[in-house]
Amino acid sequence: MVLMSSRTSLDVRYVETDAMGIVHHSNFLHWMEVARTDFMRDGDKSYRDFESKGLRLVVIGVEVVYRGSARYGDQVQIETKLVKVHPRGVTFHYQIFVAKQLIATGHTEHLVTNTYGKTVSMPTEWLDYLKQIHMLHRGN
Amino acid sequence: MVLMSSRTSLDVRYVETDAMGIVHHSNFLHWMEVARTDFMRDGDKSYRDFESKGLRLVVIGVEVVYRGSARYGDQVQIETKLVKVHPRGVTFHYQIFVAKQLIATGHTEHLVTNTYGKTVSMPTEWLDYLKQIHMLHRGN
Amino acid sequence: MVLMSSRTSLDVRYVETDAMGIVHHSNFLHWMEVARTDFMRDGDKSYRDFESKGLRLVVIGVEVVYRGSARYGDQVQIETKLVKVHPRGVTFHYQIFVAKQLIATGHTEHLVTNTYGKTVSMPTEWLDYLKQIHMLHRGN
Amino acid sequence: MVLMSSRTSLDVRYVETDAMGIVHHSNFLHWMEVARTDFMRDGDKSYRDFESKGLRLVVIGVEVVYRGSARYGDQVQIETKLVKVHPRGVTFHYQIFVAKQLIATGHTEHLVTNTYGKTVSMPTEWLDYLKQIHMLHRGN
């Protein structure tokens, strides 16, 4: 089975808006987190499984470029790609759309740690799993 | 030393507003949490100490009545009282003001648990500490 | 067409958890808001339409009783009913489940206002629309 | 009067933590927003005044590099600098500390718009005000 790009759909929540009438920019980080959860679940594993192994994907960097805005009632689409996979970390890239219009791009960089926050290498099975999804995505 | 009512001051954050131009009602729960943290720190202990004993104050009930609203730039004042203290739980009461006008009242009910979520009794020293603050507040 | 109870499904977001390892209690208010948005959209109107008429449903009271907890990775189900409909306000009731276990019940009370926050009566078409959904739900 | 770097102190809120036991990375954007509000208030104007002129500082880009973490009970210090000022936009830079240890650096890029989201130039008095703070900060 060849996986396509991971896609996530979200309805804008009222609480996500601010006094400008649009979604507050910090919520894009929440959406990107939902999107990479979906991405990791696209095969037969999930981030919850990852955590149950005593592993964490700690965020060490984020970047978002905003090109438009989202409003309450909008449906948001997110396309997620894994652009780097190392034993000690991964980098995701995101494109966020409303009504097929690109409203933001972003990426997040993650380090693998144990539950005490110490950097560790991820188990081979996970590395292979992510690399495999990675390859499939690159194949698009 | 006789403690007065615990008072907390907060500046409304932009992210707390919503598309109505006012603070989203869910943030009042965040403020009440900050207020009871301040309350517990009014003596020589803190909620962080409480957690370091392997204890948690789990929220089992909340109620808020909204009488007004807060806006970005407003300073919010919260008056907190401990209205019930049992070995297994506590109840806080809150009054929230903007510019001396009461904009909300609320209360939260809490159960004492261990880190596994099992209901336990709090240590005598903590029960005494909270009862003492309780008495002082009632003495106002 | 007879509407059944409005049901909403949500996946717990990582950002919704707190240091206790469970969902922070304030997020239940966010979920209840999503649930009533779904409820209002169950017919041929939506809360977005309501706002486009210059109307707002301001929250004037909330109450939540917590009986259990939700964790990252859980799917949450919410059943929503409209328990009161007046020209000037409505009251919703919610039951929140994880894996068919009731983890919380709540209600929210709302007032109809214009965009300036002044209390107004809702248009007859909206009153009829909500009453009709109300009846159908009561008929269950 | 020569202004020093704008400094903001915040106590970590429980709701800001996540299941890893540390502050969720998205809250750093909330803190940076509080910090630039403080920055703009360091003179005789505030962002609220800016909004009252029908102007908005829309976020068009954010970047955060995380070097450490913050926990419930920690006090966070933020140092804010204005690193670019144009009639149509500004860029802020932030350093975030816990117990004098740098836990994150970030910047946010903003565009000036009117209330309809249309790009505009800021009034000369605001440009001069920000440039003046800018100069003073650079003078440190």
Side-chain angles (χ1 to χ4, degrees):
Chain A
M1 187 190 84
V2 177
L3 289 177
M4 291 309 180
S5 267
S6 163
R7 283 189 197 184
T8 296
S9 284
L10 294 169
D11 290 312
V12 172
R13 299 178 177 186
Y14 205 89
V15 66
E16 293 172 335
T17 60
D18 68 20
M20 284 193 205
I22 57 175
V23 171
H24 190 268
H25 65 280
S26 62
N27 291 292
F28 287 63
L29 298 194
H30 300 172
W31 296 347
M32 286 154 57
E33 186 172 74
V34 172
R36 63 181 173 270
T37 288
D38 283 356
F39 180 95
M40 291 179 73
R41 208 165 34 195
D42 252 7
D44 58 346
K45 294 175 184 298
S46 72
Y47 181 66
R48 197 180 193 173
D49 300 336
F50 193 79
E51 286 218 330
S52 72
K53 301 269 181 203
L55 299 169
R56 301 287 180 269
L57 270 188
V58 175
V59 178
I60 57 166
V62 300
E63 194 178 328
V64 187
V65 176
Y66 303 88
R67 298 158 190 274
S69 56
R71 288 172 183 278
Y72 172 69
D74 284 345
Q75 198 183 52
V76 173
Q77 311 281 340
I78 309 168
E79 280 194 34
T80 309
K81 282 179 191 162
L82 193 58
V83 290
K84 250 196 247 174
V85 190
H86 288 287
R88 294 185 168 249
V90 296
T91 303
F92 289 99
H93 180 79
Y94 313 85
Q95 287 183 296
I96 304 180
F97 299 87
V98 168
K100 293 185 182 169
Q101 197 190 336
L102 184 69
I103 61 161
T105 57
H107 71 254
T108 56
E109 208 183 327
H110 305 261
L111 217 59
V112 183
T113 73
N114 61 20
T115 51
Y116 302 103
K118 197 175 172 299
T119 308
V120 295
S121 292
M122 70 177 96
T124 315
E125 54 158 342
W126 265 95
L127 188 60
D128 291 347
Y129 173 68
L130 291 175
K131 272 187 180 161
Q132 175 201 342
I133 305 181
H134 185 205
M135 293 296 288
L136 291 166
H137 279 268
R138 289 210 322 187
N140 283 344
Chain B
M1 186 191 84
V2 177
L3 288 176
M4 291 308 179
S5 269
S6 162
R7 285 190 195 183
T8 296
S9 284
L10 294 168
D11 290 313
V12 172
R13 298 177 176 186
Y14 204 89
V15 67
E16 293 172 335
T17 60
D18 67 19
M20 285 193 205
I22 57 176
V23 171
H24 189 267
H25 64 280
S26 61
N27 291 292
F28 287 63
L29 297 193
H30 301 172
W31 296 346
M32 286 154 57
E33 186 172 74
V34 171
R36 63 181 173 270
T37 289
D38 283 355
F39 181 95
M40 291 178 73
R41 209 166 33 195
D42 252 7
D44 58 346
K45 295 174 184 299
S46 73
Y47 181 67
R48 196 179 193 173
D49 300 336
F50 192 78
E51 287 218 329
S52 73
K53 301 269 181 202
L55 299 169
R56 301 286 180 271
L57 270 189
V58 175
V59 178
I60 58 167
V62 300
E63 195 178 329
V64 187
V65 175
Y66 303 87
R67 297 158 190 275
S69 57
R71 289 170 183 278
Y72 172 69
D74 284 345
Q75 198 184 52
V76 172
Q77 310 281 342
I78 309 169
E79 280 193 34
T80 310
K81 282 180 192 161
L82 193 58
V83 290
K84 251 197 247 174
V85 190
H86 287 286
R88 295 185 166 247
V90 295
T91 302
F92 289 99
H93 180 78
Y94 312 85
Q95 287 183 296
I96 304 179
F97 300 86
V98 169
K100 292 186 183 169
Q101 195 189 337
L102 184 69
I103 62 161
T105 57
H107 71 253
T108 56
E109 208 182 328
H110 305 262
L111 216 59
V112 183
T113 74
N114 61 20
T115 51
Y116 303 102
K118 197 174 171 300
T119 308
V120 294
S121 292
M122 70 177 97
T124 315
E125 54 159 341
W126 265 95
L127 189 59
D128 290 347
Y129 174 67
L130 291 174
K131 272 188 180 163
Q132 175 201 342
I133 304 183
H134 185 206
M135 293 297 288
L136 291 167
H137 280 269
R138 290 210 320 188
N140 283 345
Chain C
M1 187 190 83
V2 178
L3 288 177
M4 292 307 179
S5 266
S6 162
R7 283 187 198 187
T8 296
S9 284
L10 294 169
D11 290 311
V12 172
R13 299 178 176 185
Y14 205 89
V15 67
E16 293 172 337
T17 61
D18 68 21
M20 287 193 203
I22 56 176
V23 170
H24 190 267
H25 64 278
S26 62
N27 291 291
F28 287 63
L29 298 194
H30 300 172
W31 296 346
M32 286 155 57
E33 185 172 77
V34 172
R36 64 180 173 268
T37 288
D38 283 356
F39 181 96
M40 291 179 73
R41 207 164 34 194
D42 251 8
D44 58 346
K45 294 176 186 296
S46 72
Y47 181 66
R48 197 179 192 172
D49 300 336
F50 192 78
E51 286 218 329
S52 72
K53 300 269 182 201
L55 299 169
R56 301 286 180 269
L57 270 189
V58 175
V59 178
I60 57 165
V62 301
E63 194 178 329
V64 187
V65 176
Y66 302 88
R67 297 158 190 273
S69 56
R71 288 172 183 278
Y72 172 68
D74 285 344
Q75 198 183 53
V76 173
Q77 310 281 342
I78 310 168
E79 280 193 34
T80 309
K81 282 180 191 161
L82 193 58
V83 290
K84 249 196 249 175
V85 190
H86 287 286
R88 295 186 167 246
V90 296
T91 303
F92 289 100
H93 180 79
Y94 314 84
Q95 287 183 295
I96 304 180
F97 300 87
V98 169
K100 292 187 181 169
Q101 197 190 336
L102 184 68
I103 61 162
T105 56
H107 71 252
T108 55
E109 208 183 327
H110 305 261
L111 217 59
V112 183
T113 73
N114 60 20
T115 51
Y116 303 102
K118 198 174 172 297
T119 308
V120 295
S121 293
M122 68 178 98
T124 314
E125 54 158 343
W126 265 96
L127 189 61
D128 290 347
Y129 173 67
L130 290 174
K131 272 188 180 162
Q132 173 201 344
I133 305 181
H134 186 206
M135 294 296 288
L136 291 167
H137 280 267
R138 289 210 322 186
N140 282 343
Chain D
M1 187 192 82
V2 177
L3 288 177
M4 291 308 178
S5 268
S6 163
R7 285 190 195 182
T8 296
S9 284
L10 293 169
D11 291 311
V12 172
R13 298 178 176 186
Y14 205 89
V15 67
E16 293 172 335
T17 61
D18 67 20
M20 287 194 203
I22 56 175
V23 171
H24 189 268
H25 65 279
S26 61
N27 291 291
F28 287 63
L29 298 193
H30 300 172
W31 296 346
M32 286 154 58
E33 186 171 77
V34 171
R36 64 181 172 269
T37 289
D38 283 355
F39 181 96
M40 291 178 74
R41 207 164 34 193
D42 251 8
D44 58 346
K45 294 176 185 294
S46 72
Y47 181 66
R48 197 179 193 171
D49 299 336
F50 192 78
E51 286 218 328
S52 73
K53 300 270 181 200
L55 298 169
R56 302 287 179 268
L57 269 189
V58 176
V59 178
I60 57 166
V62 300
E63 195 178 329
V64 187
V65 176
Y66 303 88
R67 298 158 189 274
S69 56
R71 288 171 184 278
Y72 171 68
D74 284 345
Q75 197 183 54
V76 173
Q77 310 281 342
I78 309 168
E79 279 194 33
T80 308
K81 281 179 192 161
L82 193 58
V83 290
K84 249 196 249 173
V85 190
H86 287 285
R88 295 188 166 245
V90 296
T91 303
F92 290 99
H93 180 78
Y94 313 85
Q95 287 183 295
I96 304 180
F97 300 86
V98 169
K100 292 186 182 168
Q101 197 190 334
L102 184 68
I103 62 162
T105 56
H107 71 252
T108 55
E109 208 183 327
H110 305 260
L111 216 58
V112 183
T113 74
N114 62 19
T115 51
Y116 302 102
K118 197 174 173 298
T119 308
V120 295
S121 293
M122 68 178 100
T124 315
E125 54 158 343
W126 264 95
L127 189 59
D128 291 347
Y129 173 68
L130 291 173
K131 272 189 179 162
Q132 173 201 345
I133 305 182
H134 185 208
M135 293 296 288
L136 291 167
H137 280 268
R138 290 209 322 185
N140 282 344

